[in-house]
Amino acid sequence: MNQMYFKIKHIILFITGVFFILLFIFKFLHEDTENLEENPYGSNLKFPEDVKHATYLLNEAYRKIEALQERIIHLESRIPKTYPDVKFLNYMNRKRVLITGGAGFVGSHLVDKLMLEGHEVIVVDNFFTGRKSNVEHWIGHENFELIHHDIVNPIFIEVDEIYHLASPASPPHYMHNPVKTIKTNTLGTINILGLARRLKAKVLIASTSEVYGDPDIHPQPETYWGHVNPIGPRACYDEGKRVSETLTYAYAKQENMHVRVARIFNTYGPRMHMNDGRVVSNFILQALKDEVITVYGTGDQTRSFQYVSDLVEGLVALMRSNYSQPVNLGNPVEHTINEFATIIKNLVGGNNKIIHVNGVEDDPQRRRPDITRAKVHLNWEPKVILDVGLQKTVEYFRRELKRFRFNPRDNVNKYHSESFK
Ligand SMILES: O=C(O)[C@H]1O[C@H](OP(=O)(O)OP(=O)(O)OC[C@H]2O[C@@H](n3ccc(=O)[nH]c3=O)[C@H](O)[C@@H]2O)[C@H](O)[C@@H](O)[C@@H]1O
């Protein structure tokens, strides 16, 4: 009986032992399968695991690309930078020139001209609409300096000449923060005129055709006083620039200063912001992206467009002249916006539909500069015909779109409203 009991006990112990061994093997195998699921390189994975696997591989790829990008940036920073060839000017002829808004569309082209001529250029910009990339080809050059500063606050530097271009210029940009637009064109101009007075520097103020408002004289000569709605949505810019002109002549008279005032008409060209919002960039981008072309209102309103290099020539000629009254700088060839939409559509070669959307409040109905003054006093007139200028601008936007597609993080459509508050 005892022997029997002993045998049964052994059998039970044996079975329990086998059970635990099987349990252990099972657990081991199970853990292994779990590891296998986490292991991306494991094979024979079923559907959810495949997704996991692919996601893992994708993240890995992103991580590696990012690491490589960082490495490229690092390596590029070690390549000695080459600059465009600048002329040598002796100290008698070389000027120290301040350009406010010098990282913007017009400002950066002016920077290029003055740098190539051999002058020393200091750019002050708050980067609301300006971009470092517009002047990056000069960064590090011994004649060039870039200062991040908002001209609403005073600045103290030593210069011989000042081009005061700082201000948003596109309607959606200047309407975005109207109070700031007014401050830039009033306080900003006071700061610049104060600086020019202290330094006895010549100063050029960038004004606009918008001082004529919705004009009832056509074309517009400088003697026309304008037709501006002082409380409308454009007033922050129109009246801001009008006060800017008033300040300029008040300082000139009271402080015996050398001032220049350029009334700039619609200007276009490379380096316009992708998100500029003005008609040239809007129509070109819509045409390139195969979108509908949006004409605001009837499209019967007119504009006259000048290419940016013509404007820059005009600004420099005005600064170097003896003429201190306001001067219109623009191209007198006038088109309706409807015509302009067709010109761009044909130039880009798309099949876009041109549609009419709601008109803009207080949109000036006719605009064309009378440039007699510029011709007589500056010996200046625009040279670049619309087709040629637009072709260059279309090429620029084509490149920008490619750059954006290639690297979405380089999104030039980003609208840094924060920096303008
Ligand atoms: O250059 C000038 O003389 C001044 O005028 C421009 O203002 P604006 O002429 O209204 O510039 P755009 O926004 O380019 O508009 C031109 C015309 O095209 C129209 N438009 C604009 C954009 C668009 O997508 N579709 C469209 O039909 C506007 O309603 C307007 O009639 C700029 O705002 C100012 O910087 C500048 O000082």
Side-chain angles (χ1 to χ4, degrees), residues 54 61 95 99 112 125 161 188 207 219 293 323 328 347 353 383 399:
K95 292 201 160 58
I99 304 177
D112 287 352
D125 208 298
E161 280 180 356
S207 183
I293 295 179
Y323 197 72
N328 287 341
L347 195 74
K353 227 170 111 182
K383 294 193 185 86
R399 283 197 304 275

Side-chain angles (χ1 to χ4, degrees), residues 96 98 100 122 124 145 147 149-159 162 190-199:
R96 275 172 72 85
L98 167 64
T100 72
I122 302 170
V124 165
E145 205 176 326
I147 302 173
H149 177 84
D150 190 326
I151 207 59
V152 162
N153 303 307
I155 187 160
F156 301 96
I157 39 181
E158 298 285 324
V159 289
I162 306 172
I190 290 175
N191 287 331
I192 285 304
L193 289 166
L195 179 69
R197 179 178 60 83
R198 278 191 298 279
L199 301 173

Side-chain angles (χ1 to χ4, degrees), residues 162 164 189 193 203-209 211-212 222 241-250 252 258-264 314-315 318-319 321 323-329 373-374 378:
I162 306 172
H164 180 39
T189 304
L193 289 166
V203 58
L204 182 149
I205 305 291
S207 183
T208 169
S209 61
V211 296
Y212 303 126
E222 292 86 347
K241 289 290 187 186
R242 285 167 72 94
V243 173
S244 188
E245 287 196 14
T246 310
L247 283 164
T248 306
Y249 289 105
H258 298 292
V259 299
R260 306 284 178 265
V261 171
R263 290 188 181 150
I264 302 172
L315 291 172
L318 177 59
M319 178 66 106
S321 74
Y323 197 72
S324 60
Q325 287 299 295
V327 178
N328 287 341
L329 293 178
R373 236 183 222 187
L378 316 181

